[in-house]
Amino acid sequence: MEKHHVARIKCSDRKGLIAAIAAVLYRHDLNIVAMKEFVDISSETFFTRLEFAGTMNPEQLTEDLASVLPGDAVVNIIPRRKKKIVIMVTKEYHCLGDLLVRHYFGELHAEILAVIGNHPILEAFTHTFRIPFHHVSHEGRSQGQFEAAMLTILDSYSPDFIILAKFMRILSPSFVSRYPERIINIHHSFLPAFVGASPYKQAFERGVKLIGATAHVVNNDLDEGPIITQKIIPVQHDDDLRDMVEAGHEIEKSVLADALKMILEDRVFVSGNKTIIFS
Amino acid sequence: MEKHHVARIKCSDRKGLIAAIAAVLYRHDLNIVAMKEFVDISSETFFTRLEFAGTMNPEQLTEDLASVLPGDAVVNIIPRRKKKIVIMVTKEYHCLGDLLVRHYFGELHAEILAVIGNHPILEAFTHTFRIPFHHVSHEGRSQGQFEAAMLTILDSYSPDFIILAKFMRILSPSFVSRYPERIINIHHSFLPAFVGASPYKQAFERGVKLIGATAHVVNNDLDEGPIITQKIIPVQHDDDLRDMVEAGHEIEKSVLADALKMILEDRVFVSGNKTIIFS
Amino acid sequence: MEKHHVARIKCSDRKGLIAAIAAVLYRHDLNIVAMKEFVDISSETFFTRLEFAGTMNPEQLTEDLASVLPGDAVVNIIPRRKKKIVIMVTKEYHCLGDLLVRHYFGELHAEILAVIGNHPILEAFTHTFRIPFHHVSHEGRSQGQFEAAMLTILDSYSPDFIILAKFMRILSPSFVSRYPERIINIHHSFLPAFVGASPYKQAFERGVKLIGATAHVVNNDLDEGPIITQKIIPVQHDDDLRDMVEAGHEIEKSVLADALKMILEDRVFVSGNKTIIFS
Amino acid sequence: MEKHHVARIKCSDRKGLIAAIAAVLYRHDLNIVAMKEFVDISSETFFTRLEFAGTMNPEQLTEDLASVLPGDAVVNIIPRRKKKIVIMVTKEYHCLGDLLVRHYFGELHAEILAVIGNHPILEAFTHTFRIPFHHVSHEGRSQGQFEAAMLTILDSYSPDFIILAKFMRILSPSFVSRYPERIINIHHSFLPAFVGASPYKQAFERGVKLIGATAHVVNNDLDEGPIITQKIIPVQHDDDLRDMVEAGHEIEKSVLADALKMILEDRVFVSGNKTIIFS
């Protein structure tokens, strides 16, 4: 599905990094098809993402790249293949539906291994697409028990990414730390406006003229993770709360789709509480 | 400049209001060219704005309309004429420049009577367009003295509206109460995100992917007034703070221009902390 | 689903129309909840759409309204109920999928009676949602035979609207005249740019920086019908044709969803080759 | 004003180009701050733009880069300095006003050397900003005489770029060939829709729901040059032609400003009838 292999490198900045990296790929007889880099001046950190074509030995390439880079370099060589994801939901169908339909027609650029819901309401719909659905209720369980039950299922699938497609429960730091930078959430507001519960209600009451949605990498602080994509849609004085929720669903789907595309193509780096996106 | 007379009516809602209002205009031999209305369900309040053509007697029309409406009705008959405005600035030129250039070519749909600045930096530029500039420094004055000095100048011009085109001082409730719902401000963020000082710096540090600007009616709470228009513009990880400020200037101009158009055409009603805009 | 009854009126313009219409509704003890009107100056035609609440007698109301309006008045009283639609498709799934998923969860604001495809490829997918699918091939049939076969099926469902959700065959004037102003098409370009076949290929070759989609009412001229909604999405030099098609699918879905909302809520008037949309 | 030196390279594609280029900069002790490249697959052409810091010898650097690149390589080393531009206008003020105001406050990132108008109407306004204005009328002159008169003035300024800020006369191929890829035009439609005269009138009559503007590099075919930037703005059925023109002015200014930023920072490559923009 992905057209080329990808190399991702993060290290402290110094002169000559591009020359060194490009020379290694040239020696491996690999053709650089696209290369983007960024230096975060505040932290003096260098980030690059390369797409390249050719027959490669990932271990040797990683080793040869590391040998010409600063000692703190993190090198990831990612052969082209479809990513594996698990989707987590509560009750709302719109983001899940969008992902399942694309997947059904082979255009998601990912393999959906399973859906986990803390409510059973989306089970029949998920089964329609012949995807396993696991109902893990949070009721009658402690947060620890609830998360342990979900992690048992998640771990059994070894997903590359976990997509919170309107999963409306807060996850603990210990849960998040099991899949660092690999859990993606959609929040139904233009962060940092309207964090927390009922953002459309907050937006309606404030009388804003635009509402938004934000896809972000999940970290330990609620709605504070590094932002991947944001979109907005205009609203008017005669849009009531129901109208806003309906309009918001459209951009939630759209924002999640855009963020997933970036994530699945290995274009997103996390740097502190920000993202670098080589789109 | 404006094509028609405007009537604005606000009153408690009841059946038959439109019929009653339209019948009065028909009896006055006035032709309704456009009519928009809205009922705020939560407060059971009816708002309407009509554009109409014909020769009118404003006092008689107001009286006749009031006689068929609930006792709490506020009726405004606004003959077509250019509005008069005073602009208040601090140091930034971009919003002021946009307004002065339009005004110079007769396309602002308002008459700029004067510019008041708490810094002298924009004086020469304003004079270039043959508009009076009043420098009223806040330095060495109490807030009360500062505002009194500005009000003396403002009152002498009897403006319809006061435009804060990047005026960077907070105004007191007593100042605002002299021009209720007639002071328009541009805030350089997507409210309610990033209230207060240095919103672009806040946005840069948070790592948002969109930045915004908001034009609002000024009330007694900083950056909390009823919102008129909002716009956003995408930013990326390689936009530094200076890039964000520059990009933001474009939407600040654009948001202020859009809000002014609505205000100058009498399209904006304030209802609590929201606006109703008959665009 | 729809909150109120709707009245739609089109007639030649004259003074006092709003007063006359509103008076009739008042006499019927009906409360006007929203009213929008527009006068097309070039044709001196008056259009209005009212939402109203109360118990009504549609025939009497129509008659009473007609009696106070010009002789050419067209009055439509539309009781609140879900509209019935039939969807026509060829091979592409994205618009159909979006509609079927919303319908499954009861949020389409319409009842999908059936799907007709000139290819069988979307049959299994449609059946998944328990909606009838009719395969009517154009192969081995004349255009007349092909359309007759489709009309037999369509007529049996008596749909309010026919949605061409990426139906890639041209329909003849005689077909269109059976459902005047009731067939909605999505064209995958920003009309009038790139009419006809392969608009994304045309856009790619021209090197545009935005691509678009257009929903329009179908009339007798290919891609020339009155436009309902249009949206665009930015593209860049490194987007190849496949990227453009993928990005385009997103706005096609979005444009069709927006247009359908306007159509299903009776907000769209056709006036010559334009639309008037009381949104 | 520009932060770094820029290198632009265009050549036929082959393996190892990035490595070769980066190695040359490393040997010159120059630090690559940003690097973007693109391979046009259809023509097998490689494009790159590098920003770099350090003390450089432009001639030696050009020579050393050329020595490691294919024989068809075009290498441009551009030291950081403000570009020089001449603006050409007819009667409309909005784009010119925007550029003059930015220039006045030192934020245009270019030096405006002069304004040439084929009408005298903007002369006083231009002089207000202490910029020379040359009136070159097309009346009573052949196209050849008209262009010769303008070229005499243009050549005397040796501008880097010529900006057609609503210059409403067609330029001949021989004029354009004197400043190849250095003349930038703003067209007041979303190209390729509505080429030629009166695009807003065409848009109004077609009943589109979005209007647009396009900045492009001028070549020999009217409105057919490589597109740099495009923007759109929504319009509604009650926007008459004057409203559309006014709304359009806003995006014309905005599109031209965005295009100029890309041009002045040397981010635009022309490739056939397309642009590659390293934004």
Side-chain angles (χ1 to χ4, degrees), chain A residues 143-160:
Chain A
Q143 178 77 1
Q145 291 167 331
F146 175 52
E147 294 191 349
M150 291 192 293
L151 281 172
T152 301
I153 296 166
L154 281 171
D155 292 352
S156 74
Y157 285 109
S158 301
D160 293 302

PDB file of all heavy atoms in Angstrom, chain A residues 143-160:
ATOM      1  N   GLN A 143     -10.950   1.416  37.909  1.00  0.00           N
ATOM      2  CA  GLN A 143     -10.232   1.878  36.719  1.00  0.00           C
ATOM      3  C   GLN A 143      -9.112   0.904  36.372  1.00  0.00           C
ATOM      4  O   GLN A 143      -8.906   0.572  35.197  1.00  0.00           O
ATOM      5  CB  GLN A 143      -9.656   3.285  36.980  1.00  0.00           C
ATOM      6  CG  GLN A 143      -8.836   3.885  35.844  1.00  0.00           C
ATOM      7  CD  GLN A 143      -9.700   4.413  34.703  1.00  0.00           C
ATOM      8  OE1 GLN A 143     -10.941   4.352  34.765  1.00  0.00           O
ATOM      9  NE2 GLN A 143      -9.075   4.880  33.651  1.00  0.00           N
ATOM     10  N   GLY A 144      -8.430   0.429  37.399  1.00  0.00           N
ATOM     11  CA  GLY A 144      -7.327  -0.511  37.159  1.00  0.00           C
ATOM     12  C   GLY A 144      -7.825  -1.805  36.515  1.00  0.00           C
ATOM     13  O   GLY A 144      -7.222  -2.321  35.575  1.00  0.00           O
ATOM     14  N   GLN A 145      -8.933  -2.331  37.030  1.00  0.00           N
ATOM     15  CA  GLN A 145      -9.474  -3.567  36.462  1.00  0.00           C
ATOM     16  C   GLN A 145      -9.959  -3.358  35.034  1.00  0.00           C
ATOM     17  O   GLN A 145      -9.748  -4.199  34.151  1.00  0.00           O
ATOM     18  CB  GLN A 145     -10.642  -4.061  37.332  1.00  0.00           C
ATOM     19  CG  GLN A 145     -10.202  -4.569  38.700  1.00  0.00           C
ATOM     20  CD  GLN A 145     -11.382  -4.753  39.649  1.00  0.00           C
ATOM     21  OE1 GLN A 145     -12.400  -4.037  39.537  1.00  0.00           O
ATOM     22  NE2 GLN A 145     -11.265  -5.682  40.583  1.00  0.00           N
ATOM     23  N   PHE A 146     -10.607  -2.232  34.836  1.00  0.00           N
ATOM     24  CA  PHE A 146     -11.123  -1.895  33.507  1.00  0.00           C
ATOM     25  C   PHE A 146      -9.981  -1.828  32.483  1.00  0.00           C
ATOM     26  O   PHE A 146     -10.035  -2.436  31.406  1.00  0.00           O
ATOM     27  CB  PHE A 146     -11.849  -0.544  33.613  1.00  0.00           C
ATOM     28  CG  PHE A 146     -12.347   0.040  32.325  1.00  0.00           C
ATOM     29  CD1 PHE A 146     -13.144  -0.699  31.446  1.00  0.00           C
ATOM     30  CD2 PHE A 146     -12.035   1.362  31.998  1.00  0.00           C
ATOM     31  CE1 PHE A 146     -13.612  -0.127  30.266  1.00  0.00           C
ATOM     32  CE2 PHE A 146     -12.506   1.929  30.817  1.00  0.00           C
ATOM     33  CZ  PHE A 146     -13.287   1.181  29.954  1.00  0.00           C
ATOM     34  N   GLU A 147      -8.932  -1.138  32.866  1.00  0.00           N
ATOM     35  CA  GLU A 147      -7.818  -0.990  31.939  1.00  0.00           C
ATOM     36  C   GLU A 147      -7.072  -2.301  31.739  1.00  0.00           C
ATOM     37  O   GLU A 147      -6.614  -2.616  30.636  1.00  0.00           O
ATOM     38  CB  GLU A 147      -6.871   0.106  32.430  1.00  0.00           C
ATOM     39  CG  GLU A 147      -7.532   1.491  32.406  1.00  0.00           C
ATOM     40  CD  GLU A 147      -6.549   2.624  32.634  1.00  0.00           C
ATOM     41  OE1 GLU A 147      -5.395   2.349  33.022  1.00  0.00           O
ATOM     42  OE2 GLU A 147      -6.939   3.790  32.417  1.00  0.00           O
ATOM     43  N   ALA A 148      -6.957  -3.068  32.802  1.00  0.00           N
ATOM     44  CA  ALA A 148      -6.280  -4.370  32.677  1.00  0.00           C
ATOM     45  C   ALA A 148      -7.030  -5.262  31.692  1.00  0.00           C
ATOM     46  O   ALA A 148      -6.418  -5.960  30.870  1.00  0.00           O
ATOM     47  CB  ALA A 148      -6.182  -5.037  34.049  1.00  0.00           C
ATOM     48  N   ALA A 149      -8.363  -5.225  31.774  1.00  0.00           N
ATOM     49  CA  ALA A 149      -9.165  -6.046  30.857  1.00  0.00           C
ATOM     50  C   ALA A 149      -8.957  -5.599  29.415  1.00  0.00           C
ATOM     51  O   ALA A 149      -8.838  -6.430  28.495  1.00  0.00           O
ATOM     52  CB  ALA A 149     -10.645  -5.953  31.236  1.00  0.00           C
ATOM     53  N   MET A 150      -8.890  -4.304  29.218  1.00  0.00           N
ATOM     54  CA  MET A 150      -8.666  -3.810  27.855  1.00  0.00           C
ATOM     55  C   MET A 150      -7.253  -4.141  27.378  1.00  0.00           C
ATOM     56  O   MET A 150      -7.056  -4.516  26.221  1.00  0.00           O
ATOM     57  CB  MET A 150      -8.921  -2.309  27.791  1.00  0.00           C
ATOM     58  CG  MET A 150     -10.395  -1.946  27.971  1.00  0.00           C
ATOM     59  SD  MET A 150     -10.773  -0.234  27.559  1.00  0.00           S
ATOM     60  CE  MET A 150      -9.893   0.609  28.864  1.00  0.00           C
ATOM     61  N   LEU A 151      -6.276  -3.990  28.275  1.00  0.00           N
ATOM     62  CA  LEU A 151      -4.891  -4.236  27.862  1.00  0.00           C
ATOM     63  C   LEU A 151      -4.674  -5.696  27.486  1.00  0.00           C
ATOM     64  O   LEU A 151      -3.888  -6.002  26.577  1.00  0.00           O
ATOM     65  CB  LEU A 151      -3.929  -3.815  28.978  1.00  0.00           C
ATOM     66  CG  LEU A 151      -3.679  -2.302  29.065  1.00  0.00           C
ATOM     67  CD1 LEU A 151      -2.880  -1.957  30.310  1.00  0.00           C
ATOM     68  CD2 LEU A 151      -2.951  -1.801  27.808  1.00  0.00           C
ATOM     69  N   THR A 152      -5.350  -6.584  28.186  1.00  0.00           N
ATOM     70  CA  THR A 152      -5.223  -8.004  27.835  1.00  0.00           C
ATOM     71  C   THR A 152      -5.640  -8.223  26.387  1.00  0.00           C
ATOM     72  O   THR A 152      -4.966  -8.924  25.622  1.00  0.00           O
ATOM     73  CB  THR A 152      -6.106  -8.858  28.775  1.00  0.00           C
ATOM     74  OG1 THR A 152      -5.674  -8.611  30.119  1.00  0.00           O
ATOM     75  CG2 THR A 152      -6.001 -10.334  28.441  1.00  0.00           C
ATOM     76  N   ILE A 153      -6.739  -7.595  26.021  1.00  0.00           N
ATOM     77  CA  ILE A 153      -7.214  -7.737  24.635  1.00  0.00           C
ATOM     78  C   ILE A 153      -6.273  -7.028  23.664  1.00  0.00           C
ATOM     79  O   ILE A 153      -5.849  -7.594  22.655  1.00  0.00           O
ATOM     80  CB  ILE A 153      -8.648  -7.175  24.512  1.00  0.00           C
ATOM     81  CG1 ILE A 153      -9.594  -8.006  25.372  1.00  0.00           C
ATOM     82  CG2 ILE A 153      -9.097  -7.165  23.057  1.00  0.00           C
ATOM     83  CD1 ILE A 153     -10.948  -7.360  25.596  1.00  0.00           C
ATOM     84  N   LEU A 154      -5.939  -5.801  23.999  1.00  0.00           N
ATOM     85  CA  LEU A 154      -5.059  -5.027  23.109  1.00  0.00           C
ATOM     86  C   LEU A 154      -3.744  -5.747  22.861  1.00  0.00           C
ATOM     87  O   LEU A 154      -3.309  -5.890  21.714  1.00  0.00           O
ATOM     88  CB  LEU A 154      -4.769  -3.654  23.736  1.00  0.00           C
ATOM     89  CG  LEU A 154      -5.865  -2.604  23.600  1.00  0.00           C
ATOM     90  CD1 LEU A 154      -5.544  -1.391  24.450  1.00  0.00           C
ATOM     91  CD2 LEU A 154      -6.019  -2.193  22.134  1.00  0.00           C
ATOM     92  N   ASP A 155      -3.119  -6.189  23.960  1.00  0.00           N
ATOM     93  CA  ASP A 155      -1.803  -6.817  23.824  1.00  0.00           C
ATOM     94  C   ASP A 155      -1.870  -8.056  22.944  1.00  0.00           C
ATOM     95  O   ASP A 155      -0.924  -8.380  22.225  1.00  0.00           O
ATOM     96  CB  ASP A 155      -1.256  -7.183  25.210  1.00  0.00           C
ATOM     97  CG  ASP A 155      -0.925  -5.938  26.044  1.00  0.00           C
ATOM     98  OD1 ASP A 155      -0.983  -4.821  25.491  1.00  0.00           O
ATOM     99  OD2 ASP A 155      -0.622  -6.087  27.238  1.00  0.00           O
ATOM    100  N   SER A 156      -3.021  -8.737  22.996  1.00  0.00           N
ATOM    101  CA  SER A 156      -3.147  -9.958  22.203  1.00  0.00           C
ATOM    102  C   SER A 156      -3.124  -9.665  20.702  1.00  0.00           C
ATOM    103  O   SER A 156      -2.853 -10.545  19.893  1.00  0.00           O
ATOM    104  CB  SER A 156      -4.445 -10.688  22.564  1.00  0.00           C
ATOM    105  OG  SER A 156      -5.564 -10.014  22.013  1.00  0.00           O
ATOM    106  N   TYR A 157      -3.408  -8.421  20.341  1.00  0.00           N
ATOM    107  CA  TYR A 157      -3.419  -8.063  18.913  1.00  0.00           C
ATOM    108  C   TYR A 157      -2.105  -7.431  18.440  1.00  0.00           C
ATOM    109  O   TYR A 157      -1.880  -7.291  17.246  1.00  0.00           O
ATOM    110  CB  TYR A 157      -4.578  -7.104  18.610  1.00  0.00           C
ATOM    111  CG  TYR A 157      -5.933  -7.773  18.577  1.00  0.00           C
ATOM    112  CD1 TYR A 157      -6.874  -7.568  19.575  1.00  0.00           C
ATOM    113  CD2 TYR A 157      -6.274  -8.629  17.523  1.00  0.00           C
ATOM    114  CE1 TYR A 157      -8.117  -8.176  19.545  1.00  0.00           C
ATOM    115  CE2 TYR A 157      -7.519  -9.240  17.472  1.00  0.00           C
ATOM    116  CZ  TYR A 157      -8.433  -9.009  18.486  1.00  0.00           C
ATOM    117  OH  TYR A 157      -9.654  -9.614  18.435  1.00  0.00           O
ATOM    118  N   SER A 158      -1.250  -7.017  19.381  1.00  0.00           N
ATOM    119  CA  SER A 158      -0.001  -6.323  19.014  1.00  0.00           C
ATOM    120  C   SER A 158      -0.213  -5.242  17.961  1.00  0.00           C
ATOM    121  O   SER A 158       0.405  -5.263  16.895  1.00  0.00           O
ATOM    122  CB  SER A 158       1.044  -7.322  18.492  1.00  0.00           C
ATOM    123  OG  SER A 158       1.316  -8.275  19.469  1.00  0.00           O
ATOM    124  N   PRO A 159      -1.089  -4.283  18.234  1.00  0.00           N
ATOM    125  CA  PRO A 159      -1.357  -3.265  17.223  1.00  0.00           C
ATOM    126  C   PRO A 159      -0.207  -2.262  17.120  1.00  0.00           C
ATOM    127  O   PRO A 159       0.521  -2.042  18.090  1.00  0.00           O
ATOM    128  CB  PRO A 159      -2.609  -2.568  17.764  1.00  0.00           C
ATOM    129  CG  PRO A 159      -2.486  -2.706  19.248  1.00  0.00           C
ATOM    130  CD  PRO A 159      -1.838  -4.057  19.484  1.00  0.00           C
ATOM    131  N   ASP A 160      -0.060  -1.679  15.935  1.00  0.00           N
ATOM    132  CA  ASP A 160       0.894  -0.570  15.792  1.00  0.00           C
ATOM    133  C   ASP A 160       0.339   0.690  16.447  1.00  0.00           C
ATOM    134  O   ASP A 160       1.074   1.441  17.073  1.00  0.00           O
ATOM    135  CB  ASP A 160       1.149  -0.306  14.296  1.00  0.00           C
ATOM    136  CG  ASP A 160       1.882  -1.432  13.615  1.00  0.00           C
ATOM    137  OD1 ASP A 160       2.992  -1.759  14.072  1.00  0.00           O
ATOM    138  OD2 ASP A 160       1.340  -1.999  12.653  1.00  0.00           O
TER     139      ASP A 160
END
